[in-house]
Amino acid sequence: MNIRTDILLRVYIAFGLIVLLAFAVLFKLFHVQISEGKKWRAMADSLSTKYVNVEAVRGNIYSVDGSLLATSIPEYELRMDMLAGGIEKNEVFNEKVDSLAEKMARFFGDKSWREYSSMLRQARKDGERWFLIKRNISHQELIEIKKFPIFNLGRYRGGLIVVQKNKRILPFKSLAARTIGYWNENVQPVGLEGAYGDFINGESGRQLMRRIAGGTWAPVNKDIEIAPKDGADIISTIDINMQDVAQNALLKQLIKSDADHGCVLLMEVSTGEIRAIANYTRTGEGEYKEKFNYAIAGNQDPGSTFKVASYMALLEDNLVDTNTLVETGTYKIPGHLIKDSHGSIGVVTVKKAFEESSNAAIAKLVNTAYKDNQSKFTDHLYDWHLNEKLGLQIPGEASPVIKNPEYKSWNKKMTLPQMAYGYEMQLTPLKMLTFYNAIANNGKYVAPIFVKEVKRLGTSIEKFHARVINDKICSDATLNKIQAMLEGVITEGTGKGIIYNPLYKVAGKTGTAQVADANKGYRVKRQYQASFCGYFPADNPKYSLIVVVNGPKKGYYAAQVAGPPFREIADKIYANDLEMYIPVQQRFVGNTKMPSSKAGYNKATQKVYKSLGIKTFFASNSELINTIDTNNGIAVKEVKLYPNAVPDVTGMGLKDAVFLLGNAGLKPVVKGSGKVIKQSLEPGSRLVKGHPISIELK
């Protein structure tokens, strides 16, 4: 063999070996990928693990009266391990799978039992260990599902895997929904849910998960490695009954006025606690929803409700008094004629001009008094912190705009007189209400609060109190005059025919403002804002209240548009708050009867009398019932029942009498109405079941 042949042979052998090795590698790859692919993928998945966060149960939000405003309820996702210990044998699984499918078909009603059976069998064939059965299952549904065939074998043997998820619900639905708000890490937080998310959210737990076939992640262990810590509870200042009254009154007026939107705010005077807040936006013909919090973020010209600040400045500087005379009707400034919408009422006192809401009067008074030192007027507004945010507990508060002569947009001839009656500024309804609340609170200006306390497992974590912005906004002399003027609006002025209630005093001010149409100004489209801001009872203020209605189509004067819901809310709150009633001295003379009651369930009767401050004692003689004794109490007859004896139902109402006689086995025949005065069978006599008994009521 020559050298050339020898070299070629070696090359061919080497090449052949390389080709053979390449074929071997390809064969092995094919074998691993196709024949053993499922095995190795499952192994790879099982070796891929990670820790995932387990959501904590979020804390509840309560109203000030203990009602539940927002809570988390569990919802469940159901999955199934098709190779669980109890159904590992095919004969066991095949024997029970159709029964399970039938139960699921009946319970869920979305598939036939054949479809469920086919679905379960296919999942079994595929060896699914994390097979999805159903999402969004309630706790009550879960209890029933656990009784199904296979699932009733138990947590580990039946293969049922329950994954809990928490769903946030509002038990009162739309009541205070915008104030309650929501929390989402991907969007701007809203309301109490957003502001107190750090408390409410709690601390997430951690669970070890492994990836299984199909890229699905399943827990390695049945129990969570690091348990989550539930969130804390928030006690808000909202009163759910007052909230209901406020929302209904506002919604009714918005529909009646065909308005664009509106809001209501109710605040407790001494504490600054917000008892009710409602915001509605028109979404269709006669339809309104809470979409934007106008109460804290709706910056607009307040209009005539601001006049109270203008008069306060004048009175505080001793530039006018309530009996100072001023001309109404019109007041001309360069480039603009300020007019009273209802026309002139002649030359009247400052008090009367305020009560009738004369724009011309206050513009003239302020412009005349401060035209040579315009910052003196705005300094008062800044001293009262009207230019500052209130620093609320919930996000979204708009920044007030109160001009001063240093502003570029300040017009030396026009700005001051227009500010006097509530234009050329931007204030939210809550800002305006807070100022009125200070007047009601004897000059003490407090920032409103929405949350009273944070609790965890019943233990207080943090308590909140109103922050004092200004201990005294003005002198007592000025305050007394302003309070009298606000009361005069209701008794003698624009609120007389609508807000006035002879049972209690109200103080407040109407405000009708023309609103600019974005950048188009006031003249392109005439839009109005009607508002009423005040407090009650005026002689001992407990609540301050503002109603604002924007864009009403059917009338726009504040008294007619904002007045009715103010009156309705105030009336209902007054009617349900015994603390606001003037105590009436009670005297009993001679044998005056106490409030009568019918015989029956004594504990209920005694509870009612106790609430009325009336003492009760037991008497065996029925003639003593409801008579005055030496202890100033009331006698209550105790009803005793004996087995196999006719019960004594004299003195009872029809409902109790029929209940007792029917339960005893007798057939009552009724005549008359009122209390039972006579029964045909003697009390205590032997009972014969089914025997008729006549009872006479009077």
Side-chain angles (χ1 to χ4, degrees):
M1 183 181 295
N2 58 31
I3 296 175
R4 182 176 179 274
T5 304
D6 184 55
I7 293 173
L8 286 174
L9 179 62
R10 291 181 183 184
V11 170
Y12 289 149
I13 291 172
F15 181 74
L17 289 173
I18 292 172
V19 171
L20 185 62
L21 182 61
F23 274 110
V25 171
L26 289 173
F27 175 78
K28 189 62 178 178
L29 285 173
F30 179 82
H31 181 73
V32 170
Q33 183 72 23
I34 303 302
S35 302
E36 299 180 351
K38 188 174 183 180
K39 170 188 171 183
W40 295 112
R41 280 193 295 271
M43 183 178 291
D45 286 337
S46 66
L47 294 174
S48 180
T49 61
K50 67 177 181 180
Y51 278 98
V52 298
N53 288 335
V54 179
E55 180 187 4
V57 176
R58 303 187 75 219
N60 299 325
I61 298 179
Y62 293 93
S63 67
V64 72
D65 56 351
S67 300
L68 192 59
L69 298 179
T71 189
S72 294
I73 61 170
E75 273 193 346
Y76 302 94
E77 181 179 281
L78 304 185
R79 292 184 177 270
M80 187 174 180
D81 181 358
M82 307 306 295
L83 302 177
I87 54 174
E88 189 174 6
K89 295 180 179 179
N90 287 334
E91 54 268 28
V92 176
F93 177 81
N94 292 330
E95 179 186 350
K96 297 185 176 183
V97 67
D98 287 340
S99 298
L100 174 59
E102 185 178 0
K103 281 283 188 179
M104 292 169 69
R106 286 184 181 180
F107 192 81
F108 298 125
D110 58 343
K111 293 183 179 73
S112 67
W113 75 269
R114 293 182 186 276
E115 289 175 306
Y116 270 114
S117 178
S118 176
M119 180 180 74
L120 293 170
R121 290 177 187 276
Q122 185 62 46
R124 168 78 170 193
K125 183 179 178 181
D126 295 339
E128 294 274 9
R129 308 299 301 266
W130 190 248
F131 180 64
L132 178 63
I133 299 292
K134 212 73 177 174
R135 288 191 172 96
N136 302 328
I137 297 298
S138 70
H139 183 69
Q140 288 300 116
E141 289 174 328
L142 178 62
I143 293 173
E144 293 299 316
I145 290 169
K146 285 183 176 180
K147 299 176 183 177
F148 289 2
I150 297 181
F151 294 160
N152 60 11
L153 295 176
R155 179 178 178 184
Y156 300 105
R157 299 181 68 247
L160 179 64
I161 303 169
V162 179
V163 181
Q164 180 175 330
K165 298 180 181 295
N166 296 315
K167 179 183 178 182
R168 200 67 168 167
I169 64 165
L170 306 181
F172 290 97
K173 296 183 179 179
S174 65
L175 282 184
R178 189 73 189 181
T179 305
I180 295 167
Y182 54 83
W183 180 88
N184 190 319
E185 59 184 0
N186 299 318
V187 298
Q188 181 71 24
V190 172
L192 298 176
E193 293 272 23
Y196 289 85
D198 291 342
F199 288 106
I200 298 173
N201 293 340
E203 298 177 11
S204 298
R206 299 190 75 193
Q207 185 170 28
L208 184 63
M209 306 285 280
R210 64 186 173 93
R211 193 171 62 186
I212 61 176
T216 304
W217 290 88
V220 173
N221 302 306
K222 298 292 184 181
D223 297 316
I224 298 172
E225 281 74 17
I226 302 176
K229 183 180 179 181
D230 292 347
D233 297 331
I234 302 297
I235 313 300
S236 76
T237 62
I238 300 296
D239 184 295
I240 203 64
N241 295 313
M242 295 181 184
Q243 180 71 32
D244 188 33
V245 169
Q247 285 195 198
N248 287 332
L250 176 63
L251 182 58
K252 183 165 59 178
Q253 186 61 41
L254 290 175
I255 294 172
K256 181 180 178 181
S257 303
D258 193 20
D260 293 332
H261 59 84
C263 67
V264 166
L265 275 159
L266 177 71
M267 183 190 299
E268 192 170 84
V269 170
S270 60
T271 64
E273 295 177 5
I274 298 296
R275 291 285 177 252
I277 174 172
N279 299 271
Y280 279 118
T281 303
R282 179 175 174 164
T283 57
E285 188 67 32
E287 294 181 0
Y288 293 85
K289 292 183 179 179
E290 281 204 304
K291 298 180 68 176
F292 183 78
N293 200 330
Y294 298 101
I296 70 169
N299 248 354
Q300 281 190 319
D301 296 320
S304 294
T305 53
F306 185 79
K307 289 175 183 174
V308 71
S310 299
Y311 278 105
M312 185 180 289
L314 290 165
L315 290 168
E316 192 71 352
D317 289 336
N318 296 314
L319 297 172
V320 299
D321 202 349
T322 53
N323 58 3
T324 301
L325 297 178
V326 61
E327 188 176 353
T328 63
T330 60
Y331 178 63
K332 186 171 179 58
I333 58 177
H336 185 58
L337 180 65
I338 298 172
K339 297 188 295 184
D340 292 335
S341 58
H342 293 289
S344 175
I345 54 173
V347 177
V348 296
T349 63
V350 160
K351 185 174 184 295
K352 186 63 176 176
F354 179 81
E355 292 168 352
E356 296 295 339
S357 196
S358 171
N359 293 339
I362 189 60
K364 181 178 182 179
L365 288 169
V366 168
N367 200 36
T368 303
Y370 297 106
K371 65 180 178 181
D372 295 329
N373 187 4
Q374 298 185 352
S375 61
K376 187 176 181 181
F377 176 77
T378 58
D379 285 346
H380 280 295
L381 309 183
Y382 279 59
D383 288 342
W384 298 329
H385 303 278
L386 292 177
N387 62 312
E388 300 173 4
K389 281 187 174 184
L390 292 166
L392 303 179
Q393 294 171 313
I394 58 177
E397 182 186 7
S399 296
V401 178
I402 298 289
K403 294 181 180 180
N404 63 49
E406 295 180 4
Y407 270 59
K408 291 182 180 180
S409 59
W410 184 275
N411 185 309
K412 291 184 178 180
K413 295 181 179 179
M414 294 184 63
T415 301
L416 183 64
Q418 293 204 111
M419 284 184 69
Y421 61 105
Y423 286 90
E424 298 230 21
M425 65 181 66
Q426 298 281 291
L427 294 174
T428 64
L430 182 54
K431 189 71 179 177
M432 205 68 251
L433 175 65
T434 307
F435 190 72
Y436 274 73
N437 194 81
I439 297 170
N441 200 19
N442 291 320
K444 191 176 183 179
Y445 190 16
V446 297
I449 61 171
F450 294 83
V451 175
K452 289 189 62 157
E453 191 175 5
V454 179
K455 287 186 174 182
R456 189 185 296 279
L457 299 176
T459 303
S460 179
I461 298 175
E462 191 171 354
K463 291 185 178 182
F464 302 94
H465 302 282
R467 175 175 53 88
V468 178
I469 299 172
N470 195 326
D471 284 313
K472 199 76 171 177
I473 58 173
C474 64
S475 65
D476 287 332
T478 297
L479 193 64
N480 291 335
K481 292 173 184 177
I482 289 292
Q483 290 171 342
M485 290 165 68
L486 288 169
E487 289 182 41
V489 171
I490 311 303
T491 57
E492 305 293 336
T494 53
K496 182 178 181 180
I498 297 173
I499 310 295
Y500 176 74
N501 188 322
L503 299 176
Y504 65 98
K505 290 182 178 181
V506 176
K509 181 73 183 72
T510 54
T512 306
Q514 189 176 348
V515 181
D517 185 10
N519 296 324
K520 299 176 183 177
Y522 295 93
R523 298 183 180 181
V524 176
K525 181 182 177 182
R526 285 189 173 271
Q527 297 184 110
Y528 292 91
Q529 172 182 283
S531 59
F532 191 93
C533 191
Y535 53 87
F536 61 96
D539 44 5
N540 186 22
K542 185 171 184 180
Y543 298 107
S544 57
L545 173 64
I546 188 170
V547 177
V548 182
V549 177
N550 289 80
K553 312 296 186 302
K554 300 175 182 178
Y556 58 86
Y557 286 117
Q560 284 74 35
V561 176
F566 185 102
R567 167 73 184 269
E568 181 179 341
I569 295 167
D571 281 356
K572 289 183 177 179
I573 290 173
Y574 178 79
N576 287 281
D577 192 336
L578 295 177
E579 292 181 5
M580 287 195 284
Y581 285 86
I582 299 173
V584 178
Q585 188 176 3
Q586 296 180 344
R587 295 179 181 178
F588 296 108
V589 181
N591 289 325
T592 301
K593 291 285 184 75
M594 294 288 275
S596 62
S597 69
K598 298 174 182 177
Y601 187 52
N602 284 330
K603 288 185 178 180
T605 305
Q606 291 177 68
K607 184 177 181 180
V608 173
Y609 281 134
K610 185 178 180 181
S611 298
L612 295 172
I614 300 171
K615 292 183 292 184
T616 59
F617 65 93
F618 290 103
S620 58
N621 186 350
S622 61
E623 293 180 0
L624 291 176
I625 293 179
N626 293 341
T627 58
I628 304 296
D629 80 320
T630 55
N631 295 316
N632 292 324
I634 189 165
V636 178
K637 178 184 177 183
E638 183 176 12
V639 178
K640 293 183 179 180
L641 301 176
Y642 300 96
N644 301 317
V646 175
D648 183 4
V649 296
T650 54
M652 293 186 184
L654 179 61
K655 183 178 179 180
D656 288 333
V658 171
F659 176 79
L660 282 178
L661 296 173
N663 277 359
L666 297 170
K667 294 183 178 179
V669 179
V670 181
K671 180 182 178 182
S673 61
K675 293 182 182 179
V676 178
I677 59 171
K678 186 187 297 184
Q679 62 184 72
S680 61
L681 298 180
E682 187 69 22
S685 60
R686 189 172 66 85
L687 180 70
V688 180
K689 292 189 180 292
H691 197 282
I693 178 172
S694 298
I695 55 174
E696 184 178 344
L697 292 84
K698 186 175 180 181

